[in-house]
Amino acid sequence: MTINHMNFFKPKHQKNRNISLIMGVLFFSIGIIDFYLNNYFNTNITSFLPRIINFFTPLIFGVIGLHLIRIEFSGIKILDSLNKNINTTNFNAALSVSIILLIIFGLPPLLNWLILDANFAGDTKEACTGGGACWVYIKVWFNRFMYGMYPNAEQWRVNVTFIGVLVFMAAGFFVPTKLKNYLSLYYVLILPLISFFLIFYLISGGDTEISFAFIASIIYFFLCFFIPSKKAKLYFFSFVPLLYIFLSLRLGESAYLAIPGLLWVETGAWGGLSLTFMVSFFSLIFCFPLGMMLALGRRSNLPIVKYSSLSFIEFWRGVPLITVLFMSAVMFPMFLPDGTYVDKLIRVVVAITLFEAAYTAEVIRGGLQALPRGQYDAAKSLGMGYWRMHVFVILPQALKLVIPGIANTFLALIKDTPLIFVVGLLELVGMLNLAKTNPKWLGFSMEGYVFAGIIFWIICYSMSKYSQKLELKYKTDR
Amino acid sequence: MKLKKILPQLLTLLFIVLVFGFFTMNAQENMGARGLEFGFGFLKTQASFDIQFSLIDYDGSHTYARAYLVGLLNTLLVAFIGIILATLLGAIVGVARLSPNYLIRKTASFYIEFFRNIPLLLQIFFWYFAALRALPMLEDAPMLLNSSFMTIKGLYTPAPIWTNFDVFFTTIIIAMIVIFFFAKYAKKKQEQEGKRLPVLIISLSIFIGLPLLTFLIGGVDLSWSFPVIRQMSASSYTFDGGLKIPPELIALTLALTLYTTTFIAENVRAGIQGIGKGQKEAAASIGLTQSQVLKLVIMPQALRIIIPPTTNQYLNLTKNSSLAAAIAYPDLVLVFAGTAMMQTGRAIEIVGITMATYLTISLGISLLMNWYNKRIAIQEK
Amino acid sequence: MFKYLKQLTSLVAVVAVLFAFTTESMAAKKSKTLKNTQKKGFVRCGVSQGLPGFSNADAAGNWTGLDVDVCRAVAAAVLGDANKVKFTPLSAKERFTALTSGEIDILSRNTTWTLSRDADLGVTFVGVNFYDGQGFMVRKDSGITSTSQFKNGISACTNIGTTTELNMRDFFNSKGISYEPVAFEKADEVVAAYDSGRCDTYTTDKSGLAAQRTKMTNPDDHMVLPETISKEPLGPVVRQGDAVWEDIVRWSLNVMIEAEEYGISSGNADMMKTSENPAIKRLVGTEGELGSYLGLDQDWSLRIIKQVGNYGESYKRNIADTGILPDRGPNNIWTKGGLLYTPPAR
């Protein structure tokens, strides 16, 4: 407020106003041109001034120019909106000019490097002649960045799997209303199973065998569904594991049904962006039900359940993800019987799932807390038990509230996946690091990081925008 | 009915006991097969490896326990610097996000959207492997501020050399205590008599004056040692004297700060926006000046909204500093769960100690925040 | 009430199953690495993440190197085909855990044989396939030609958690030079840091120095200093507790060395079947039943020599001809002045 006392140029009449306007634009343009010339043509039109002032001339001219065009109620619409937005006080004017100068300083070299001087065509390092980015490097390594070390000839399998999973996910939106009740069952149970099998058979491949004992147990399991009486159903269910053990012991080791499969690709070869998606997808699918259980346990009245859930959640929230991954890579094998070997990818997914489940549990707990007590009381007054109340009344409402929180968790999950390099799995950032040390392509680390940054940015930004949209949509429901 | 309460708990207990029992049994068996004993005795053995950057005196002849301490202090150092910088920058960006100035607002939101959506590890890699590796070699480095050099091997700045530092330090502590009591006294006087003492000026003069006094009569002296270039061989140089800040620390702090700033800025914005307009209008209507409104009405309420999520971000920053293991910054994870574990092979003990350390830090900060929350909570009706 | 009883019974059933499985797997703890390998049809070999000359993969994914040849020899002996190997690249941090947890069966990753590793990690070293020592690499334009010219304040890059980190400290301490250790986990990052100028010198086993030099922007700008500051016997490692597998790997390596001692190569192995020398006859399988002691068939050693070659051929193919270390130095047969002296295969 005090700087405005220097308004000795404030015009009072129409004629003065026009002069003031023209002078203001002139000063402003001189400032911009001076800066532009300084930086890009190495000429200095104000070199007759002492050095300190010379450095600041663009800024000074710009501010004077903006000051001159700060006319209240000028009647020119553009000028008014300009003044209101960037020119309210001298301080604001100075900031605005600085930002404009910064853009002029930074944008052209950036564009030069990114697009104008960059090389797009070619196949070898020699094609990168310009001073700009060498996008040839990205082009040559593109398959590796997307699919890791997966053999080139088999990459169609990864594509088919991803399309298949997307189709199954979208199928949930097209079911007839009669089956809508089973939608949550579908998403929580059936979809993970389907995706797991798709990945197991298509991406991993390899011949597998299923023991006859296992097949018999599964058939028995499904048969049990048809028993009408609920008590008897539970009774017969409990014999499934016993049947399995009995049959496997009796039939011996050789009673297997061999299933031929595609070429086997070990999980160590999976990598790139496809691995990022796979790890995030499976971690999210599994951490969601686990988080729900933990949130319910945290809020229960039974002391043992409550405190064990609490300590579980606080433990996983208090340690960094990198130590969790270290633990899964180095410590976890010690906890398994000698000789059992759990695949690295499974260990990683389990570790990330447990880690994110704790955060998801907190998010869901927030949703559960936000529901008014009236809902609980009304459900109880209808005679609903604990589980009925939660499944039919509480959880549907609470989950709607926490969808943005879940989306945030998913975002954090995607941003955390680069850490799996500590166990030796190479997703996108890991592949980048590998590629940049290849002797034929040294010195292109910048292009690699920019490329990965762009990809992650697009994914995360679109997801955050989508979650904001979801938040708005579900807010109006209540 | 009692059974309904007991049975789930019993089941949970049984499940936990089974899982832990399974793990422990296997671990004992595996360690027995390898001839390893579970125990923390290895902490007393000699470490035999040096650490690049350490705040305390350390070399390979010290124990693993001391190496652990070095790693812990390095982690806390990064966390401390990161928290301070991220708070300052976050407050600025958060306020800028609400500025009426279109350009400033858009720049702030551009900053937030840009740095929030790129994974932290990628940012750390970028700063360390791409940006800081492009710095000049020592002999070509330009001199900044007539004393410092920013080179590929690190930032070399003048180092302060104190004599009688403890006198200076105790004086500062005494000054802070005096100011604290003076502020309380001034507040009491204002409430009782309505007289307002110039608290700020007096506190400032005490804070500056007392330590300055020690320079004159306390025998405290401060001199600077400047980095001087020395040639070690035909093509490699080094700086003697001065303070050397390794590029690993700079890259890590920079990436952590820029990343965490985005979250803190969003919290600040939510805090300031969360205050109803009615508050500002009411404050103006009882005649408070702009700065008084800010200090007495807006900041306390905004802080109530800002501080809990921001404390969460501080915690995240501390946990994210463990990513130093990806670049060669010797923090707790790299030194202890990296080098020490590889040399001794004691995975369970070492990873356990590391996780326990982080847990303690997290729980400590959470408790502090809970206490603070309770203290400032508005009593709802 | 009945409902809870049902829940309890199913719970008890599940618990019983769990225990059955654990006891079952505990009882079956007796090592079966050989049996598993034969059942799977390939040898699981842990190698480096890319060290030219020792274990390196080309663009098509084929692995070659001195360490790779050890695994291929085992595959030739056990499975009949030297190409039935699955290679798992491992970092220094996970190499031993991968071995002890069962992810791999042989660790052939230029690993130094030390007491603490042999005794304290649950692994067994089964031989030395490369005698090496630790050295330093500097830029030629630095003018340094010997480690005695190192000055205070030098910065040295190396890998974390390796013997080089410890030896480096001992060396600089003994010379009284203050230095700055910069330690990364991945060898590629160490090389990049040294190459960019972040460090003044790069230290690791001399064979590693020679190999990594080929990965730098200008290999000719760098030189390896002559001094060797430690003993680094590199060799394959297996899990502790499987004596038969230990012997198989140990003697596969020894066969390769002894074959060179007696002049048997992949080219003349068939011809050598007619030799009168009993040692040669045992190596090519016309005499003796050495294979049966290891659970293998008669031609196990012949297959190794024919499919992988003797040690000299492996060295020449991987290390000498690629220009990494043309001079064999201590890695020669004892009759020619080197250190390779194996117990006789009889």
Side-chain angles (χ1 to χ4, degrees):
Chain A
M1 293 299 152
T2 49
I3 310 180
N4 263 340
H5 290 326
M6 300 195 303
N7 283 344
F8 37 81
F9 277 94
K10 220 28 175 304
K12 297 240 192 304
H13 306 291
Q14 184 79 355
K15 249 195 319 193
N16 285 350
R17 193 191 74 175
N18 281 342
I19 298 176
S20 171
L21 203 60
I22 296 174
M23 276 182 64
V25 173
L26 203 67
F27 268 101
F28 186 72
S29 326
I30 293 180
I32 301 286
I33 294 176
D34 184 21
F35 187 75
Y36 192 72
L37 289 175
N38 270 349
N39 274 321
Y40 296 115
F41 294 97
N42 267 336
T43 54
N44 209 339
I45 52 181
T46 53
S47 50
F48 50 86
L49 293 169
R51 219 189 78 173
I52 292 285
I53 304 185
N54 189 22
F55 185 70
F56 284 109
T57 38
L59 187 62
I60 298 177
F61 277 124
V63 174
I64 295 180
L66 282 180
H67 179 94
L68 287 174
I69 67 176
R70 188 181 315 127
I71 305 169
E72 285 184 278
F73 314 121
S74 65
I76 309 174
K77 215 161 69 160
I78 300 181
L79 190 64
D80 274 340
S81 68
L82 200 74
N83 274 334
K84 199 166 68 146
N85 276 324
I86 64 174
N87 203 3
T88 49
T89 64
N90 275 341
F91 179 65
N92 264 339
L95 284 177
S96 311
V97 173
S98 318
I99 293 184
I100 295 180
L101 293 181
L102 205 68
I103 295 180
I104 297 181
F105 178 67
L107 205 57
L110 193 68
L111 280 179
N112 253 349
W113 186 83
L114 269 179
I115 303 180
L116 296 172
D117 279 344
N119 304 92
F120 289 94
D123 253 343
T124 61
K125 187 174 169 177
E126 285 71 30
C128 288
T129 48
C134 184
W135 299 121
V136 181
Y137 165 69
I138 303 289
K139 225 175 47 152
V140 166
W141 283 87
F142 190 73
N143 261 347
R144 289 280 97 85
F145 289 151
M146 290 294 128
Y147 299 103
M149 305 300 269
Y150 210 83
N152 281 347
E154 310 284 332
Q155 278 165 6
W156 60 270
R157 285 155 57 179
V158 182
N159 294 337
V160 166
T161 313
F162 274 107
I163 296 178
V165 170
L166 279 174
V167 161
F168 276 109
M169 271 174 72
F173 290 110
F174 296 109
V175 292
T177 8
K178 192 175 68 160
L179 296 172
K180 271 242 182 332
N181 284 336
Y182 295 103
L183 209 62
S184 41
L185 184 72
Y186 173 74
Y187 275 115
V188 170
L189 207 62
I190 302 186
L191 185 62
L193 273 174
I194 295 183
S195 345
F196 178 72
F197 280 119
L198 270 178
I199 290 189
F200 187 65
Y201 281 115
L202 275 183
I203 298 189
S204 175
D207 300 332
T208 48
E209 331 167 295
I210 304 185
S211 65
F212 287 124
F214 191 69
I215 298 180
S217 317
I218 297 282
I219 297 179
Y220 176 78
F221 182 77
F222 278 111
L223 282 178
C224 284
F225 268 114
F226 292 105
I227 300 178
S229 143
K230 227 181 151 203
K231 282 191 185 158
K233 200 185 279 198
L234 272 169
Y235 182 69
F236 282 107
F237 259 137
S238 58
F239 285 111
V240 169
L242 291 174
L243 176 70
Y244 174 66
I245 299 175
F246 176 73
L247 278 178
S248 49
L249 284 175
R250 282 301 296 268
L251 294 176
E253 280 200 0
S254 50
Y256 278 87
L257 178 70
I259 302 180
L262 303 160
L263 178 72
W264 182 62
V265 182
E266 44 141 6
T267 56
W270 305 6
L273 197 60
S274 51
L275 187 65
T276 308
F277 282 139
M278 270 193 274
V279 170
S280 324
F281 177 72
F282 273 107
S283 303
L284 184 72
I285 293 243
F286 290 126
C287 84
F288 195 68
L290 189 60
M292 211 154 49
M293 288 287 113
L294 284 172
L296 290 176
R298 176 96 160 67
R299 280 175 58 82
S300 107
N301 291 323
L302 312 169
I304 294 188
V305 177
K306 175 167 168 183
Y307 285 110
S308 43
S309 308
L310 179 64
S311 28
F312 186 88
I313 294 177
E314 285 307 316
F315 174 75
W316 291 101
R317 266 166 47 103
V319 289
L321 183 57
I322 208 170
T323 52
V324 171
L325 288 172
F326 274 179
M327 186 178 80
S328 79
V330 168
M331 201 164 96
F332 197 59
M334 292 272 225
F335 288 143
L336 294 175
D338 197 13
T340 47
Y341 167 62
V342 178
D343 190 73
K344 222 180 339 193
L345 186 59
I346 296 184
R347 268 186 277 154
V348 159
V349 169
V350 166
I352 296 186
T353 303
L354 290 171
F355 183 76
E356 292 291 338
Y359 287 90
T360 314
E362 284 294 287
V363 169
I364 295 182
R365 185 172 77 98
L368 288 173
Q369 269 181 335
L371 280 184
R373 271 202 69 88
Q375 298 288 327
Y376 290 90
D377 295 338
K380 280 193 202 150
S381 74
L382 281 178
M384 292 190 178
Y386 182 83
W387 288 108
R388 282 193 88 101
M389 170 174 75
H390 276 90
V391 170
F392 289 111
V393 177
I394 305 293
L395 282 179
Q397 296 184 60
L399 289 179
K400 253 198 250 181
L401 283 178
V402 302
I403 283 184
I406 303 285
N408 259 350
T409 312
F410 191 40
L411 213 64
L413 188 62
I414 291 201
K415 285 192 289 183
D416 278 339
T417 47
L419 267 75
I420 63 181
F421 78 92
V422 298
V423 293
L425 289 171
L426 300 171
E427 47 71 66
L428 182 57
V429 178
M431 285 309 300
L432 270 186
N433 280 336
L434 188 71
K436 82 168 196 271
T437 55
N438 187 303
K440 281 199 279 192
W441 293 96
L442 287 174
F444 294 118
S445 56
M446 190 83 83
E447 284 87 341
Y449 290 131
V450 169
F451 173 69
I454 293 178
I455 290 198
F456 272 114
W457 192 87
I458 294 177
I459 297 175
C460 295
Y461 186 70
S462 23
M463 194 126 35
S464 66
K465 279 289 168 228
Y466 183 62
S467 97
Q468 276 172 9
K469 219 174 62 153
L470 278 182
E471 185 175 356
L472 282 173
K473 175 172 148 193
Y474 285 106
K475 224 174 177 168
T476 57
D477 266 9
R478 294 199 75 213
Chain B
M1 279 304 105
K2 264 267 175 103
L3 195 63
K4 193 167 116 169
K5 286 210 188 267
I6 291 189
L7 195 64
Q9 297 190 64
L10 215 60
L11 284 176
T12 321
L13 201 59
L14 199 61
F15 178 72
I16 295 178
V17 163
L18 270 179
V19 166
F20 273 104
F22 181 65
F23 284 162
T24 322
M25 239 176 13
N26 283 327
Q28 274 182 333
E29 199 186 291
N30 284 333
M31 295 193 79
R34 310 203 194 315
L36 293 172
E37 292 224 343
F38 185 86
F40 293 97
F42 73 94
L43 285 173
K44 295 203 210 72
T45 57
Q46 195 188 40
S48 310
F49 61 90
D50 286 333
I51 299 180
Q52 167 197 26
F53 175 77
S54 160
L55 288 176
I56 58 177
D57 202 24
Y58 172 84
D59 68 64
S61 63
H62 288 117
T63 61
Y64 280 110
R66 199 168 171 90
Y68 165 82
L69 202 60
V70 170
L72 182 61
L73 284 175
N74 282 344
T75 299
L76 292 177
L77 176 72
V78 170
F80 187 67
I81 301 180
I83 287 178
I84 294 183
L85 288 179
T87 313
L88 286 173
L89 202 58
I92 295 177
V93 174
V95 170
R97 188 84 164 69
L98 294 170
S99 158
N101 188 325
Y102 176 79
L103 275 180
I104 296 182
R105 201 169 58 232
K106 281 298 168 194
T107 311
S109 54
F110 174 75
Y111 172 90
I112 293 180
E113 289 302 326
F114 183 73
F115 282 99
R116 187 167 60 169
N117 288 318
I118 300 184
L120 179 58
L121 191 63
L122 194 58
Q123 294 187 38
I124 293 180
F125 280 156
F126 173 78
W127 287 114
Y128 183 63
F129 289 117
L132 290 188
R133 281 288 161 79
L135 285 174
M137 300 284 288
L138 270 74
E139 59 267 28
D140 305 322
M143 190 189 264
L144 307 165
L145 301 175
N146 260 347
S147 59
S148 313
F149 299 88
M150 187 82 187
T151 72
I152 192 175
K153 285 195 191 171
L155 175 63
Y156 293 90
T157 61
I161 305 182
W162 295 93
T163 40
N164 284 339
F165 180 67
D166 30 359
V167 176
F168 183 76
F169 192 61
T170 27
T171 325
I172 293 205
I173 304 278
I174 294 178
M176 293 208 293
I177 297 179
V178 169
I179 294 177
F180 179 68
F181 281 112
F182 175 70
K184 280 181 88 163
Y185 166 75
K187 197 159 168 215
K188 209 168 70 157
K189 199 147 193 284
Q190 181 185 358
E191 283 172 13
Q192 283 178 348
E193 303 172 18
K195 248 205 313 209
R196 293 186 54 202
L197 300 167
V199 179
L200 190 64
I201 299 184
I202 296 188
S203 320
L204 224 60
S205 43
I206 294 180
F207 192 67
I208 297 184
L210 266 175
L212 264 173
L213 218 59
T214 60
F215 272 92
L216 294 174
I217 56 174
V220 176
D221 192 38
L222 173 65
S223 65
W224 297 94
S225 104
F226 287 89
V228 172
I229 196 166
R230 167 169 65 91
Q231 183 163 22
M232 287 195 300
S233 69
S235 66
S236 64
Y237 295 81
T238 186
F239 280 97
D240 284 332
L243 191 65
K244 177 175 154 176
I245 305 178
E248 290 82 23
L249 177 58
I250 299 178
L252 188 64
T253 317
L254 199 60
L256 278 175
T257 306
L258 291 175
Y259 184 73
T260 316
T261 300
T262 63
F263 295 98
I264 295 187
E266 284 291 284
N267 289 337
V268 168
R269 179 178 72 93
I272 297 183
Q273 273 183 331
I275 301 181
K277 244 177 28 158
Q279 294 285 322
K280 299 186 195 133
E281 291 171 0
S285 74
I286 61 172
L288 295 176
T289 68
Q290 277 266 29
S291 58
Q292 278 174 326
V293 169
L294 201 66
K295 195 176 82 165
L296 297 169
V297 178
I298 299 208
M299 284 318 282
Q301 297 185 59
L303 278 178
R304 201 173 272 126
I305 307 182
I306 294 176
I307 288 196
T310 308
T311 324
N312 214 14
Q313 289 307 321
Y314 290 163
L315 217 58
N316 280 345
L317 192 144
T318 313
K319 286 191 288 177
N320 283 335
S321 71
S322 61
L323 290 177
I327 59 181
Y329 179 66
D331 79 320
L332 181 63
V333 171
L334 188 80
V335 165
F336 202 58
T339 313
M341 186 175 70
M342 288 204 260
Q343 302 288 8
T344 61
R346 304 203 174 272
I348 300 184
E349 292 93 327
I350 290 189
V351 174
I353 294 180
T354 315
M355 292 178 113
T357 313
Y358 277 105
L359 266 180
T360 317
I361 299 179
S362 305
L363 287 179
I365 297 191
S366 300
L367 281 175
L368 209 71
M369 193 194 53
N370 274 344
W371 168 80
Y372 182 77
N373 254 352
K374 281 207 180 66
R375 222 181 75 130
I376 64 169
I378 305 177
Q379 300 301 333
E380 300 265 347
K381 273 192 272 235
Chain C
M1 190 59 206
F2 185 59
K3 184 167 85 167
Y4 297 118
L5 205 58
K6 287 301 148 254
Q7 281 184 357
L8 267 167
T9 16
S10 21
L11 177 69
V12 167
V14 168
V15 166
V17 167
L18 251 180
F19 266 120
F21 271 120
T22 47
T23 46
E24 158 88 20
S25 57
M26 271 158 56
K29 191 175 71 90
K30 253 207 322 258
S31 36
K32 296 183 189 157
T33 317
L34 177 59
K35 186 152 164 247
N36 281 340
T37 306
Q38 284 167 333
K39 182 163 168 232
K40 278 205 184 65
F42 54 82
V43 174
R44 296 181 305 174
C45 186
V47 291
S48 76
Q49 289 166 321
L51 184 62
F54 288 85
S55 46
N56 206 9
D58 63 12
N62 300 320
W63 287 87
T64 53
L66 197 70
D67 291 332
V68 163
D69 281 343
V70 170
C71 288
R72 293 182 66 227
V74 173
V78 171
L79 300 170
D81 182 359
N83 293 322
K84 289 193 175 158
V85 189
K86 185 189 80 138
F87 296 100
T88 308
L90 298 167
S91 72
K93 173 179 258 145
E94 39 177 4
R95 51 183 163 168
F96 292 115
T97 331
L99 186 60
T100 52
S101 72
E103 187 181 343
I104 54 174
D105 295 317
I106 310 176
L107 176 68
S108 190
R109 194 200 175 277
N110 54 292
T111 312
T112 311
W113 187 347
T114 67
L115 183 148
S116 54
R117 287 176 177 174
D118 212 1
D120 210 24
L121 290 181
V123 298
T124 307
F125 282 80
V126 291
V128 177
N129 74 336
F130 196 86
Y131 288 93
D132 205 356
Q134 183 172 340
F136 291 90
M137 168 154 40
V138 293
R139 312 185 84 90
K140 279 192 187 144
D141 58 15
S142 71
I144 297 181
T145 48
S146 146
T147 57
S148 55
Q149 291 170 346
F150 283 162
K151 299 269 175 34
N152 272 335
I154 194 170
S155 54
C157 279
T158 189
N159 302 79
I160 60 171
T162 54
T163 49
T164 44
E165 206 180 355
L166 310 179
N167 294 333
M168 177 170 74
R169 176 179 172 263
D170 291 340
F171 171 75
F172 282 114
N173 261 11
S174 65
K175 297 275 175 123
I177 301 178
S178 73
Y179 72 111
E180 179 201 2
V182 183
F184 297 86
E185 188 176 327
K186 291 182 127 178
D188 289 332
E189 289 166 10
V190 181
V191 170
Y194 164 73
D195 207 7
S196 67
R198 170 76 182 82
C199 306
D200 301 313
T201 177
Y202 169 31
T203 175
T204 181
D205 304 337
K206 274 184 161 174
S207 59
L209 289 177
Q212 298 286 16
R213 189 168 69 162
T214 61
K215 283 192 180 173
M216 303 202 179
T217 23
N218 285 321
D220 292 324
D221 283 348
H222 307 274
M223 63 182 265
V224 177
L225 295 178
E227 288 89 349
T228 308
I229 66 169
S230 74
K231 291 189 290 193
E232 304 284 327
L234 312 175
V237 197
V238 295
R239 267 190 297 280
Q240 208 167 47
D242 192 342
V244 176
W245 186 250
E246 258 179 61
D247 288 335
I248 293 179
V249 180
R250 175 180 296 124
W251 286 99
S252 301
L253 175 61
N254 288 348
V255 158
M256 283 175 71
I257 299 176
E258 214 177 22
E260 190 190 359
E261 185 181 338
Y262 288 109
I264 318 174
S265 71
S266 55
N268 64 14
D270 283 322
M271 266 187 352
M272 284 294 192
K273 281 195 193 166
T274 55
S275 156
E276 283 307 313
N277 187 331
I280 295 184
K281 283 205 280 195
R282 278 189 290 271
L283 280 177
V284 296
T286 45
E287 188 181 288
E289 294 191 349
L290 300 173
S292 62
Y293 300 142
L294 297 171
L296 306 172
D297 66 318
Q298 184 81 340
D299 287 331
W300 68 284
S301 42
L302 181 64
R303 281 198 296 272
I304 293 179
I305 304 173
K306 278 175 74 171
Q307 295 183 26
V308 182
N310 64 30
Y311 181 86
E313 290 177 270
S314 174
Y315 187 98
K316 181 170 186 297
R317 169 172 73 224
N318 293 309
I319 303 194
D321 285 349
T322 53
I324 295 178
L325 278 175
D327 179 19
R328 281 179 70 166
N331 295 307
N332 213 337
I333 309 296
W334 63 286
T335 48
K336 298 192 192 141
L339 291 175
L340 294 171
Y341 181 115
T342 64
R346 63 169 306 137

